């Protein structure tokens, strides 16, 4: 099971790191579009829509990586004061009964929305805008990645709770080396 977890971690780390670069592309598009709008009085709805689509890709595809890095939102003041066994028990329950079912529901429900959008070739309401179906297709894909990462985290937390591996989150953050996780 830890081997499967390791492969999921590697996949989501790679996707997250690549997706993070889309912020730079979004900033470049924004700067060029703003410059053209103010200097030549030319604006592009496609450029504006591509910015929010790129941000959406970044947000959606970096969420599993954020979970992997243990950088997701929680009440750290309380969590850090808990005994590690209690913290892991809460994480196991939360992942198994809240996060995993929520992700599964989102994959299931967004899949049909994406299929419908693809089927009708949904387009932007703005003149010169982009097709909307690619953005809607990203939602079930991203939640599938998050679901896989939730399983990976559940596996690791169960192993830590049982004392079979050391805590992989002690020194792990987006500011540290992700490679440390490969040892577990």
């Amino acid at each position: 099971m830890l081997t499967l977890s390791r492969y999921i971690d590697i996949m989501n780390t790679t996707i997250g790191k690549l997706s993070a670069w889309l912020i730079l592309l979004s900033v470049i598009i924004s700067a060029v579009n703003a410059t053209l709008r103010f200097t030549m009085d030319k604006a592009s709805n496609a450029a504006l829509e591509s910015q929010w689509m790129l941000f959406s890709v970044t947000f959606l595809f970096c969420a599993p990586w954020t979970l992997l890095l243990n950088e997701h939102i929680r009440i750290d003041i309380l969590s850090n004061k808990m005994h590690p066994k209690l913290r892991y028990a809460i994480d196991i329950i939360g992942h198994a009964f809240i996060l995993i079912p929520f992700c599964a529901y989102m994959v299931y429900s967004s899949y049909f929305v994406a299929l419908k959008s693809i089927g009708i070739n949904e387009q932007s309401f703005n003149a010169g805008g982009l097709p909307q179906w690619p953005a809607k297709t990203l939602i079930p894909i991203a939640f599938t990645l998050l679901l896989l990462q939730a399983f990976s985290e559940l596996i690791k937390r169960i192993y830590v709770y049982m004392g079979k591996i050391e805590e992989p989150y002690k020194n792990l953050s987006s500011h540290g080396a992700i490679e440390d996780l490969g040892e577990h």
Side-chain angles (χ1 to χ4, degrees), residues 5-183:
S5 174
R6 191 174 310 116
Y7 283 121
I8 293 169
D9 293 350
I10 291 167
M11 176 186 64
N12 278 326
T13 298
T14 303
I15 291 169
K17 285 181 177 183
L18 291 173
S19 298
W21 281 99
L22 295 176
I23 291 294
L24 177 61
L25 182 57
S26 181
V27 168
I28 291 168
I29 291 170
S30 175
V32 169
N33 196 41
T35 301
L36 290 174
R37 185 173 62 238
F38 290 116
T39 60
M40 298 181 186
D41 200 27
K42 292 184 180 185
S44 167
N45 283 335
L48 289 171
E49 289 182 5
S50 68
Q51 288 173 244
W52 70 257
M53 283 191 186
L54 289 169
F55 179 78
S56 298
V57 171
T58 303
F59 179 83
L60 289 168
F61 284 12
C62 285
W65 186 34
T66 303
L67 181 62
L68 165 69
L69 293 174
N70 205 31
E71 295 281 329
H72 54 288
I73 296 172
R74 74 162 121 228
I75 304 172
D76 286 333
I77 294 169
L78 298 176
S79 180
N80 290 339
K81 292 183 181 188
M82 291 179 187
H83 187 275
K85 281 268 193 188
L86 176 61
R87 185 172 51 243
Y88 276 94
I90 291 170
D91 282 351
I92 289 167
I93 291 167
H95 281 70
F97 296 106
I98 298 171
L99 181 58
I100 290 173
F102 173 74
C103 289
Y105 172 76
M106 289 302 296
V107 170
Y108 173 78
S109 62
S110 63
Y111 173 78
F112 295 107
V113 172
L115 278 182
K116 182 179 179 185
S117 185
I118 292 168
I120 64 171
N121 193 24
E122 187 174 2
Q123 300 294 312
S124 173
F125 290 114
N126 298 318
L130 298 174
Q132 298 300 294
W133 62 266
K136 290 186 179 181
T137 304
L138 294 175
I139 297 169
I141 295 168
F143 273 98
T144 299
L145 294 173
L146 187 58
L147 177 64
L148 290 171
Q149 192 61 48
F151 277 120
S152 175
E153 296 307 309
L154 181 61
I155 291 166
K156 289 183 282 191
R157 282 168 170 79
I158 290 171
Y159 274 81
V160 169
Y161 187 81
M162 295 184 333
K164 293 190 176 189
I165 63 171
E166 289 186 33
E167 183 176 352
Y169 311 103
K170 283 181 184 176
N171 301 318
L172 184 63
S173 76
S174 57
H175 309 290
I178 187 72
E179 289 76 27
D180 293 344
L181 220 108
E183 297 173 11

